[in-house]
Amino acid sequence: HILSRLRAQFDDPLLVRTTRGMEPTPRALALIDPVRQALRQVHQVFNAQAEFDARTSEHAFSIRMGDMNEFLVLPSILLALEKEAPSISATIHHLTPAATVKALDSGEVDFAVSARLSHSKSIRSLDLLQDKMVCILRKDHPFARRPLTAGAFLKLRHINFVQALADTRFADGDAPHRHPRRNVVLNIPHWLAAPAIVESTDMVAAISERMARRVNDRGQFVVRPLPIGNRELVWRLYWHRRYDTQPAHVWMRDLVRRACAGLNA
């Protein structure tokens, strides 16, 4: 009966019978995200002023985070949650920069931990960690004991990190226009794959200094300042302004801030 009313409302069958069972029509698929967003907003209206007790809450957060920040900050966040809110859970999503902003806008994710995101005024951000980009080479690389000038750096065999073809936040997008592009021989989406590749080849990678410290536990890498581009980097927590006063979100933002403050110390 309800399906019949919906079909009349939208002038579309919405669900059709196939050899594989009932399947949604294109119109039904197009309705999924707007309806989910509307339901989230209704839920927020009725729960905006509800009391929040982290010790007993079973709230589930959805967080966008790349593999580097899963490595750098997620353990500290989970340790804090374990101590203060053992029943709260989190789901981590890997999204491109554009998809991250879209997911924050739609409410698909609650937070994002990232850097240099281009976003609208409806997205808020909080500084978490100061960092900078550095170059890592294997310790017996031909350039390990030679000056890493801009010209030499650009000619080396580079690993490039991209979650989308247009994502140039961490390297080429910051290189001065007078320099040619780096000699990129490998494009990969995951930062944590780089150390193993660099250690066993003559490739080099520009990565976070914090990450370089963590992965250089055996002194297997030489770490050099980048000779070109914008080295400074700030990891930030991003969220949509609709959650500014929502108690669970306010609490979670403070927990993430405190967890990262411990890393800064």
Side-chain angles (χ1 to χ4, degrees):
H1 176 68
I2 293 173
L3 180 57
S4 295
R5 290 171 57 189
L6 288 171
R7 283 169 166 166
Q9 174 72 34
F10 291 103
D11 190 25
D12 187 274
L14 299 179
L15 290 171
V16 294
R17 191 177 301 280
T18 71
T19 57
R20 296 182 299 276
M22 300 295 284
E23 292 190 356
T25 65
R27 176 63 171 149
L29 293 173
L31 287 169
I32 291 174
D33 285 341
V35 170
R36 280 180 177 164
Q37 185 174 353
L39 288 173
R40 287 191 191 97
Q41 291 173 347
V42 170
H43 178 78
Q44 291 157 17
V45 167
F46 285 100
N47 291 278
Q49 301 306 319
E51 291 186 4
F52 175 76
D53 185 346
R55 294 168 298 177
T56 59
S57 174
E58 296 182 352
H59 198 99
F61 288 101
S62 180
I63 307 170
R64 183 273 179 196
M65 192 179 291
D67 64 315
M68 179 153 52
N69 278 305
E70 288 176 350
F71 180 68
L72 292 176
V73 306
L74 187 56
S76 296
I77 294 171
L78 294 178
L79 178 62
L81 280 175
E82 201 171 65
K83 292 178 178 178
E84 301 180 30
S87 296
I88 284 180
S89 62
T91 298
I92 306 300
H93 301 270
H94 286 198
L95 299 171
T96 65
T100 297
V101 174
K102 183 178 178 181
L104 289 168
D105 276 328
S106 68
E108 182 182 347
V109 299
D110 299 302
F111 302 104
V113 178
S114 189
R116 300 175 180 170
L117 282 185
S118 177
H119 57 80
S120 67
K121 292 182 179 179
S122 62
I123 304 299
R124 314 288 200 204
S125 68
L126 169 71
D127 289 2
L128 295 177
L129 291 173
Q130 296 289 330
D131 207 340
K132 62 182 177 181
M133 301 296 290
V134 296
C135 179
I136 62 168
L137 312 84
R138 61 183 175 87
K139 65 180 180 181
D140 52 352
H141 189 283
F143 268 85
R145 293 177 176 82
R146 295 165 61 182
L148 192 59
T149 63
F153 174 77
L154 291 167
K155 291 177 182 177
L156 293 175
R157 294 166 55 81
H158 286 261
I159 300 172
N160 192 43
F161 304 94
V162 287
Q163 290 184 309
L165 291 178
D167 183 10
T168 58
R169 293 171 297 157
F170 298 106
D172 289 331
D174 287 322
H177 294 302
R178 67 178 180 272
H179 290 298
R181 292 176 64 85
R182 293 171 302 139
N183 177 28
V184 174
V185 296
L186 176 66
N187 288 288
I188 58 174
H190 303 296
W191 296 85
L192 291 183
I197 298 170
V198 170
E199 188 174 1
S200 58
T201 70
D202 277 344
M203 295 184 193
V204 302
I207 67 171
S208 149
E209 183 181 41
R210 288 179 178 273
M211 179 179 170
R213 291 176 188 165
R214 294 281 301 277
V215 301
N216 200 20
D217 55 327
R218 295 178 284 109
Q220 66 269 45
F221 301 114
V222 171
V223 181
R224 296 286 185 82
L226 286 184
I228 64 170
N230 181 6
R231 305 170 185 84
E232 301 306 314
L233 182 64
V234 180
W235 297 111
R236 292 187 171 93
L237 182 68
Y238 298 86
W239 70 95
H240 195 279
R241 68 181 182 184
R242 72 169 69 89
Y243 296 128
D244 277 350
T245 60
Q246 210 269 353
H249 281 253
V250 172
W251 179 87
M252 186 63 174
R253 293 199 300 268
D254 184 63
L255 179 133
V256 173
R257 178 192 61 78
R258 288 186 284 110
C260 290
L263 293 174
N264 276 322

